[in-house]
């Protein structure tokens, strides 16, 4: 297969003068709308859209050839569940492509493709069929006969050249933007002299599309109409897997040498029978499907991890996590392989793909480690999930639905995929109570939304009422010991290790009353003697997670939120089974969410310090909110925060991160804490003793009487959970800053990977703005071209306003875009005036001071037509003018102005209404100027009406 791809690249490079480019990474650069690079054209989008920076390397390309790594999964393109069922769906594939940017067009593109397939690859001509676009009257598009004729001239018999509709042979990048007809080359696997034209595009496995050549010649506007593109481009794509299948004389992609080495390695690593290529019912026990799933998914994992996408919790990372988990399930459940099989396939994948993509070779060990870590975590939760499902099913009444709260606890607490729960139940012939489950999902979403509007009283299960509090105290129920929430340390590889915590249920709380037990399926508040869960306070969101009863590993009680009330920590829990006071439980905090909160809370302190350093010592904190996703910080400020100040603040924070300062924490009597000079925020609300968090300086040094440490570094009173060293914050980007009220500013910031992503988006948008500026400076004389630029500036302005990017950069770009919008509008006005003056000169010469001018003139827009009328009336003040302008669309524009001498008897508005009514249209305006429009059918009658109306008034 390597030779086949190399021959493609060589053919275009050596015979036809194309530049060979490496594949872009599969993580899209700065395109927040895309999860993965899913087509060869992604990296060339700026060229097609015309937004490419004229001075960039990209803009210099004329002919290009490459092989692009593509991933299609989780978006609209590919349902993960289809992969493995058949022999041709993949999540990762290689796209061979040749491109022309304003260089060659249909003639050359088709003849090069034909030459490669029939002469270099020697595919028999009688097995190839080509399709072209058959036109679409509703869009006013005629058939692409130019393309049809090219194929006929190349010697393709007419019975093999077939027209198809929009769906098959018209390619669009999106709802708007570049598009055009395409021509596809199909291959008939059966051959033998038959004519397979009737099977093309009919979903037959015998006749498959192998190459698509797209001719970009139009641009679809927001209004839905198509305009011709100023430059024509060619974009072709041929899936390597399908091509290799054809050339190696196979019927399945999995039988080619792109996959057979991986399938052989799977066989060696497990006890399953060998791969036989079976599908559907013939594939007993889904063994063959498992081979295909694992072979496909491990390729995708290698490519994505190499390009910096790791299995995770949102976006592309979440899709990759699903791919990994699906592969692990097929390995362990169907192929009965021991753990580690997936990672053991990495060297084989590197052998198959490493020559084409050398970056894989460099990262092989890291890929293995990441796959193994993720597999181990998933297998342990899979095992527990399976036990929980088994046990629940045994206890169920016959012919009832699986309880929703158990499914919810699996999903919420173990991160157990929903499709997996469904599959496992399906295997047992049981279904989930999905109505009840959806209700839980909705409640959770509502609760999360409530949590976002902080300061709202929560629900009745987590906020103890006065009477219950008094009752707890009089029953001598001790306040909860929540010091275990601070029990964590750094392991030897720099990962955080959280100590386990056991506790006893002291009391349950539901519907404003204390209870000794709560039945299955109920939501309640649980009060424990001790806990390692962080309760919402100090602006930091509460932890989530689950608890289990000691000795009963298989019942998870999800903890959805945690609140502090009068010294008691209340855990909001869904009782999957009956819970009783006295139960012994073990607590499990969701570590990823906690770590994200720790990162963002420490980052908040860095930010507070940086703001004081940059804006001055009187910058006081007014409030903050820390969640796993981002941090919010309110502070008082004298004036607006400038772009430079925002940049300086980010820089101060980045320096502190780079220095990887130790975060010191200690509990201190309030009286001692009060003496510290420069300590942040001391009001009466702190419990005694208080917790001090100090960056880089041990707390005992801060407390010595002459210490000025708190003036030089960040020292705060804070009950939050923090990182132990600042380095793990990685980066901080302020993505929003605005004045809440006069004198108080609110900043929102993100850290780590999100900050990096925000910076990438910022860089990409800056390049787009730069490119528009440059194009604006070129001499543009056509009004439509200028209007398109103006529209582009408007669209960019919207994207810049709504994307997560550094705020300083957003402000810079907004300033530039505002100026660009102004100069575009001025330029359009100026061009319109020039056109209007020319037209007015001609009419003046024609009518030479007559009291009324009524005529038709060509004009591109109503505003130009109005300007022609104005010019005429300025140059000849005694004249009243009415002009009509027929448009290509069948509409007629109308504009008129009445000489001041003719008022009040003669009104422009009445004149326009009389004329436009004649054309079944509408009009309006003032006595002096008016405008309107109508239908071309009534135009001759309208001119007569205009004259009669004017004569009757003058």
């Amino acid at each position: 297969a390597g030779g086949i791809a190399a021959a493609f690249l060589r053919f275009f490079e050596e015979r036809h003068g194309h530049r060979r480019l490496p594949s872009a990474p599969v993580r899209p650069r700065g395109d927040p709308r895309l999860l993965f690079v899913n087509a060869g054209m992604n990296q060339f989008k700026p060229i097609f859209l015309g937004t490419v920076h004229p001075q960039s390397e990209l803009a210099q390309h004329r002919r290009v050839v490459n092989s692009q790594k593509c991933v299609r999964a989780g978006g609209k393109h590919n349902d993960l569940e289809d992969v493995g069922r058949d022999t041709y769906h993949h999540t990762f594939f290689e796209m061979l492509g040749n491109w022309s940017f304003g260089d060659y067009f249909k003639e050359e593109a088709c003849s090069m493709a034909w030459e490669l397939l029939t002469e270099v690859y020697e595919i028999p001509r009688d097995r190839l069929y080509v399709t072209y676009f058959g036109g679409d009257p509703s869009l006013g598009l005629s058939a692409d006969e130019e393309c049809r004729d090219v194929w006929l001239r190349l010697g393709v018999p007419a019975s093999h050249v077939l027209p198809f509709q929009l769906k098959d042979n018209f390619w669009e990048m999106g709802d708007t933007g570049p598009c055009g007809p395409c021509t596809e080359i199909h291959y008939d696997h059966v051959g033998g002299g038959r004519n397979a034209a009737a099977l093309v595009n009919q979903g037959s496995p015998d006749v498959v599309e192998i190459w698509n050549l797209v001719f970009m010649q139009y641009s679809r506007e927001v209004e839905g109409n198509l305009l011709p593109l100023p430059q024509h481009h060619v974009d072709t794509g041929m899936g390597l897997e399908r091509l290799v299948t054809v050339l190696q004389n196979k019927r399945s992609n999995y039988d080619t040498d792109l996959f057979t080495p991986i399938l052989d390695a799977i066989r060696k690593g497990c006890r399953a029978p060998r791969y036989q290529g079976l599908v559907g019912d013939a594939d007993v026990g889904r063994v063959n499907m498992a081979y295909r799933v694992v072979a496909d998914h491990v390729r995708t994992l290698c490519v994505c991890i190499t390009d910096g996408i790791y299995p995770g919790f949102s976006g592309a990372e979440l899709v990759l996590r699903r791919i990994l988990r699906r592969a692990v399930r097929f390995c362990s459940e169907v192929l009965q392989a021991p753990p580690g099989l997936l990672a053991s396939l990495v060297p084989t994948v590197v052998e198959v793909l490493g020559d084409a993509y050398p970056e894989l070779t460099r990262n092989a060990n890291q890929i293995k480690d990441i796959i193994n870590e993720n597999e181990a975590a998933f297998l342990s939760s899979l095992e527990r999930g399976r036990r929980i499902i088994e046990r629940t099913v045994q206890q169920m009444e016959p012919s009832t639905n699986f309880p929703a709260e158990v499914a919810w606890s699996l999903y919420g607490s173990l991160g157990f995929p929903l499709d997996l729960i469904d599959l496992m139940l399906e295997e047992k012939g049981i279904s989930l109570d999905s109505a009840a489950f959806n209700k839980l999902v909705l409640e959770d979403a509502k609760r999360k939304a409530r949590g976002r509007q902080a300061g709202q009283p929560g629900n009745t299960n987590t906020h103890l009422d006065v009477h219950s509090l008094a009752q707890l105290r009089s029953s001598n129920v001790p306040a909860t010991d929540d010091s275990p929430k601070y029990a964590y340390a750094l392991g030897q590889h720099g990962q955080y290790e959280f100590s386990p915590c056991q506790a006893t249920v002291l009391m349950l709380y539901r519907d404003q009353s204390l209870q000794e037990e709560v039945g299955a399926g109920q939501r309640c508040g649980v009060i424990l003697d001790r806990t390692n869960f962080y309760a919402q306070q100090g602006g930091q969101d509460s932890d989530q997670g689950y608890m289990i009863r000691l000795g009963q590993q298989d019942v998870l009680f999800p903890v959805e939120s945690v609140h502090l009330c009068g010294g008691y920590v209340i855990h909001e829990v869904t009782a999957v089974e009956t819970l009783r006071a006295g139960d012994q439980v073990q607590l499990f905090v969701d570590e990823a969410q906690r770590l994200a909160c720790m990162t963002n809370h420490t980052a908040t302190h860095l930010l507070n310090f940086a703001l004081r350093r940059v804006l001055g010592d009187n910058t006081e904190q007014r409030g903050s909110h820390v969640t796993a996703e981002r941090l919010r910080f309110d502070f008082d400020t004298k004036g607006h925060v400038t772009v430079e100040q925002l940049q300086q603040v980010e820089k101060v924070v980045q320096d502190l991160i780079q220095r990887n300062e130790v975060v010191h924490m200690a509990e201190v009597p309030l009286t001692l804490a009060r003496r510290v000079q420069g300590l942040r925020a001391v009001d009466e609300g702190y419990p005694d003793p208080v917790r001090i968090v100090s960056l880089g300086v041990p707390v005992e040094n801060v407390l010595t009487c002459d210490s000025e440490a708190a003036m030089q570094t960040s020292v705060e009173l804070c009950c939050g959970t923090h990182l132990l060293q600042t380095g793990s914050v990685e980066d901080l980007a302020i993505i929003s800053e605005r004045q809440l009220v006069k004198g108080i500013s609110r900043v929102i910031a993100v850290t780590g990977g999100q900050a990096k992503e925000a910076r990438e988006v910022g860089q990409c948008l800056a390049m787009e703005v730069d490119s528009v500026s440059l194009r604006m400076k070129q001499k543009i004389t056509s009004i439509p071209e200028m209007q398109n630029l103006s529209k582009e500036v408007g669209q960019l302005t919207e994207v810049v306003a709504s994307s997560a990017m550094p705020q300083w950069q957003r402000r810079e770009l907004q300033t530039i875009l505002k100026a660009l919008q102004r100069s575009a509008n001025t330029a359009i006005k100026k061009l319109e005036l020039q056109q209007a003056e020319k037209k007015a000169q001609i009419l003046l010469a024609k009518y030479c001071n007559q009291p009324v001018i009524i005529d038709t003139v060509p004009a591109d827009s109503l505003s130009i037509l109005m300007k022609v009328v104005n010019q005429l009336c300025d140059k000849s003040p005694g004249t009243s003018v009415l002009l009509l302008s027929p448009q290509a669309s069948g509409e007629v524009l109308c504009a008129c102005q009445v000489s001041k001498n003719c008022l009040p008897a003669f009104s422009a508005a009445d004149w326009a209404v009389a004329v436009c009514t004649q054309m079944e249209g509408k009009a309006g305006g003032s006595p002096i100027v008016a405008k309107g429009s109508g239908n071309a059918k009534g135009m001759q009658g309208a001119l007569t009406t205009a004259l009669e109306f004017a004569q009757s008034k003058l």
Side-chain angles (χ1 to χ4, degrees), residues 122-435:
E122 297 178 347
I123 295 175
R125 293 161 183 252
D126 61 349
R127 288 193 177 209
L128 295 173
Y129 295 79
V130 297
T131 65
Y132 67 94
F133 178 51
D136 187 315
S138 71
L139 284 173
L141 292 172
S142 51
D144 191 357
E145 287 166 4
E146 181 190 353
C147 172
R148 181 197 62 192
D149 297 345
V150 169
W151 288 120
L152 295 173
R153 279 202 299 280
L154 285 168
V156 185
S159 61
H160 283 224
V161 182
L162 316 165
F164 279 91
Q165 291 306 301
L166 208 65
K167 171 170 88 65
D168 292 306
N169 281 76
F170 195 85
W171 184 89
E172 309 215 23
M173 188 187 284
D175 300 333
T176 58
C179 55
C182 60
T183 179
E184 294 180 340
I185 304 172
H186 295 249
Y187 173 81
D188 176 18
H189 276 288
V190 176
R194 71 169 185 169
N195 184 336
L199 296 173
V200 171
N201 277 336
Q202 296 305 313
S204 154
D206 295 337
V207 180
V208 294
E209 172 215 335
I210 51 174
W211 202 346
N212 186 1
L213 287 65
V214 177
F215 305 124
M216 292 197 202
Q217 56 191 90
Y218 304 107
S219 161
R220 188 179 282 288
E221 300 301 297
V222 184
E223 297 76 38
N225 53 325
L226 292 172
L227 293 180
L229 277 177
Q231 265 202 325
H232 288 172
H233 307 298
V234 177
D235 155 3
T236 87
M238 173 155 59
L240 176 65
E241 293 74 11
R242 282 192 186 179
L243 175 66
V244 174
T245 305
V246 168
L247 296 182
Q248 293 183 353
N249 241 328
K250 305 289 188 208
R251 292 301 297 273
S252 151
N253 297 354
Y254 291 93
D255 294 341
T256 65
D257 60 14
L258 285 168
F259 288 94
T260 47
I262 305 173
L263 296 169
D264 291 343
I266 295 174
R267 167 113 207 263
K268 288 198 187 90
C270 71
R271 293 183 291 281
R274 69 187 174 78
Y275 178 68
Q276 294 167 292
L278 304 170
V279 294
D281 295 340
D283 180 16
V284 180
R286 301 200 299 174
V287 170
N288 290 264
M289 177 174 177
Y291 268 102
R292 289 188 291 266
V293 167
V294 174
D296 170 90
H297 288 9
V298 73
R299 288 172 17 120
T300 306
L301 285 161
C302 290
V303 167
C304 288
I305 292 169
T306 296
D307 284 348
I309 300 175
Y310 299 158
F313 293 95
S314 65
E317 278 79 8
L318 179 63
V319 176
L320 197 64
R321 181 166 173 243
R322 284 181 51 204
I323 288 174
L324 180 125
R325 293 183 151 200
R326 189 165 182 254
V328 169
R329 278 197 68 214
F330 276 98
C331 280
S332 72
E333 292 176 19
V334 183
L335 300 174
Q336 316 246 300
L341 171 65
L342 257 192
S344 75
L345 304 173
V346 172
T348 312
V349 176
V350 172
E351 249 166 69
V352 175
L353 297 175
D355 287 347
Y357 311 109
E359 59 273 20
L360 280 166
T361 318
R362 297 193 288 274
N363 289 312
N365 285 334
Q366 184 201 11
I367 299 172
K368 278 193 199 162
D369 291 346
I370 288 176
I371 290 179
N372 276 333
E373 276 166 37
N374 278 278
E375 178 180 57
F378 181 48
L379 282 172
S380 79
S381 66
L382 199 61
E383 194 35 56
R384 293 191 53 190
R386 197 176 286 111
R387 285 206 310 268
I388 290 170
I389 288 178
E390 295 284 344
R391 187 168 168 282
T392 311
V393 169
Q394 281 164 14
Q395 295 179 349
M396 275 166 56
E397 301 290 324
S399 69
T400 51
N401 281 343
F402 191 82
E405 60 274 7
V406 177
W408 175 251
S409 82
L410 283 169
Y411 171 66
S413 310
L414 287 183
F416 214 73
L418 286 180
D419 47 345
L420 207 57
I421 299 175
D422 283 335
L423 279 168
M424 286 183 163
L425 293 178
E426 197 182 313
E427 285 159 16
K428 301 191 182 313
I430 292 172
S431 59
L432 173 62
D433 182 349
S434 43

Side-chain angles (χ1 to χ4, degrees), residues 611-644:
L611 285 165
R612 292 175 75 103
R613 163 89 19 123
V614 173
L615 302 176
D617 276 341
N618 46 9
T619 310
E620 286 297 341
Q621 173 174 344
R622 285 282 167 254
S624 76
H625 186 203
V626 174
T627 70
E629 290 77 42
R630 55 185 215 178
L631 56 110
R632 192 193 78 208
F633 191 79
D634 302 344
F635 57 96
D636 48 15
T637 150
K638 290 289 163 278
H640 276 287
V641 185
T642 65
V643 166
E644 293 72 37

Side-chain angles (χ1 to χ4, degrees), residues 472-490:
L472 284 169
R473 289 188 180 129
S474 64
S475 320
N476 289 330
V477 175
T480 316
D481 168 17
D482 64 351
S483 60
K485 69 188 178 194
Y486 300 124
Y488 49 88
L490 276 171

